[in-house]
Amino acid sequence: MLRVVQWATGGVGKAAIEAVLRHPELELAGCYVHSEDKNGKDVGEILGIDPLGVTASNDIDAILSLDADAVVYTPLVPNTEEVTRILRSGKNVVTPVGWFYPGERDAALAQTAVDAGVTLHGTGINPGGTTELHPLVLSAMSSAVTSVRAEEFSDMRTYNAPDVLRWVMGFGGTPDEAHKSPMLGLLSGGFTQSVRMCLDTLGFAEATIGTSHQVAVATAPIDSPMGVIEPGKVAAQRFQWDATIGEQVVVRIAVNWLMGEENLEPAWEFGPQGERYEIEIHGDPDTFVVIHGWQPTSIAEGLRRNPGIVATANHCVNSIPYVCAAEPGIRTCLDLPVVAGRAHPDLAATHG
């Protein structure tokens, strides 16, 4: 049984704890929280379930001293110093906030992991799944690949994080404020890694990677988790990363985040397929995949328990046994075996 510490208890963190509790090879050993009001609480109370006998703490030294095999690291923004401390404490780290396809600037962190005999692995959903792992897996069905595309279409009225929506992502502000928000920089750290992984693995020639950011504004008041978005304020955003060779786009990753489809200028919409993830490969033959199920069927469901957040957490938690068994260092999805979920306890095999 592998002992797991959960680091931060936002939406992904809470879902990760649920996944750890369901996983037959894992047990919850501890939980780090930032806020004083969660400090000292039973983790079950934070989740709104029965007590688990595990107390949340905001004492980093106490958390790092725990006997544990892995940490699921899910803050809003990655902190390299924190991750370094976790690795040095002898714990493997799985995270959805970075290190999907590290470069030279991560050499020191990789060496820290090697010296400590542990592994750091970045994974998730977008990036961390649909943006590199899934396109690469599907590309195995094609030869002479000329381009790949991974794109998300989501209704952000189902994202129950009002402060993030307003102050990090720039929704509800002016277009100029949105363009100056930290969101593009935060996103590019992960999505550019996904682009590079696709370029390198598929064997494309040296490409130029560019980014773009478009916004749409409300034409009438729009209800959202952060309150009413007034006319003229940002109510939809599209971020795009293109890798080009000459005039040819060979890798494209994009996210389309809309506060619904009504009362927008420009008049963006999801189209007949609705909310979804799309993966497209051009080659011989072409492949086009649409994924449903990782977005909620209603705003109420999304605010209660967003499937995309749960899927992100599950990908992290399901990776833990594979990461703990991997060679020390920073390991990507290219370095690990196929990561699989586990059967529902009612349907799982029993071993006597």
Side-chain angles (χ1 to χ4, degrees):
M1 191 71 73
L2 297 171
R3 290 171 54 80
V4 179
V5 170
Q6 174 57 42
W7 193 286
T9 55
V12 175
K14 290 178 180 178
I17 293 170
E18 294 175 349
V20 168
L21 297 176
R22 289 192 297 260
H23 199 291
E25 299 162 44
L26 307 176
E27 66 175 321
L28 187 67
C31 180
Y32 173 74
V33 292
H34 293 94
S35 62
E36 185 59 43
D37 61 339
K38 293 180 181 179
N39 183 43
K41 288 187 176 180
D42 187 277
V43 176
E45 182 180 354
I46 295 174
L47 267 63
I49 60 176
D50 291 338
L52 298 175
V54 178
T55 302
S57 174
N58 60 6
D59 184 336
I60 292 181
D61 290 332
I63 291 293
L64 296 183
S65 69
L66 291 171
D67 176 19
D69 300 283
V71 171
V72 181
Y73 181 77
T74 62
L76 178 62
V77 178
N79 182 315
T80 301
E81 183 179 337
E82 283 183 343
V83 174
T84 299
R85 291 185 65 185
I86 297 169
L87 295 171
R88 284 177 176 163
S89 76
K91 297 172 180 62
N92 299 280
V93 176
V94 179
T95 179
V97 295
W99 300 287
F100 307 103
Y101 192 60
E104 292 182 2
R105 68 178 183 176
D106 300 301
L109 192 61
Q111 189 60 53
T112 296
V114 171
D115 293 342
V118 294
T119 301
L120 168 61
H121 176 60
T123 192
I125 185 172
N126 192 32
T130 57
T131 50
E132 69 288 299
L133 172 61
H134 300 154
L136 291 176
V137 168
L138 291 168
S139 74
M141 304 302 178
S142 299
S143 65
V145 174
T146 58
S147 68
V148 299
R149 177 179 64 88
E151 192 158 358
E152 175 190 354
F153 300 81
S154 291
D155 190 332
M156 300 309 286
R157 294 177 299 174
T158 66
Y159 184 48
N160 195 12
D163 287 343
V164 176
L165 287 169
R166 178 64 186 96
W167 304 114
V168 178
M169 301 178 74
F171 283 100
T174 66
D176 187 58
E177 288 172 337
H179 287 307
K180 292 179 179 178
S181 81
M183 200 63 200
L184 180 59
L186 291 173
L187 293 174
S188 291
F191 285 104
T192 300
Q193 291 182 48
S194 297
V195 171
R196 289 195 296 105
M197 182 185 288
C198 289
L199 288 170
D200 292 350
T201 306
L202 293 169
F204 283 113
E206 184 175 347
T208 300
I209 301 175
T211 63
S212 65
H213 178 206
Q214 299 170 286
V215 302
V217 299
T219 58
I222 298 174
D223 289 330
S224 79
M226 45 172 278
V228 174
I229 297 177
E230 299 294 344
K233 303 297 185 180
V234 173
Q237 301 189 62
R238 174 181 171 84
F239 298 89
Q240 183 171 302
W241 294 264
D242 282 347
T244 57
I245 299 176
E247 299 297 319
Q248 170 74 35
V249 175
V250 293
V251 178
R252 169 168 291 169
I253 295 173
V255 294
N256 301 270
W257 292 335
L258 283 61
M259 291 290 182
E261 299 179 274
E262 298 179 352
N263 303 316
L264 296 176
E265 175 59 43
W268 294 351
E269 58 183 29
F270 295 125
Q273 288 275 14
E275 293 182 79
R276 65 202 182 276
Y277 290 83
E278 290 183 352
I279 300 169
E280 185 173 17
I281 294 98
H282 286 283
D284 180 23
D286 295 339
T287 299
F288 183 65
V289 173
V290 177
I291 300 173
H292 292 292
W294 294 345
Q295 283 120 338
T297 57
S298 68
I299 294 175
E301 179 195 354
L303 295 177
R304 184 173 63 253
R305 192 168 185 268
N306 191 303
I309 290 174
V310 175
T312 301
N314 288 342
H315 202 182
C316 290
V317 171
N318 287 328
S319 299
I320 292 172
Y322 306 90
V323 171
C324 289
E327 289 293 317
I330 302 179
R331 301 298 169 200
T332 73
C333 63
L334 301 174
D335 302 312
L336 300 181
V338 173
V339 171
R342 296 295 185 269
H344 189 284
D346 293 346
L347 302 172
T350 57
H351 301 280

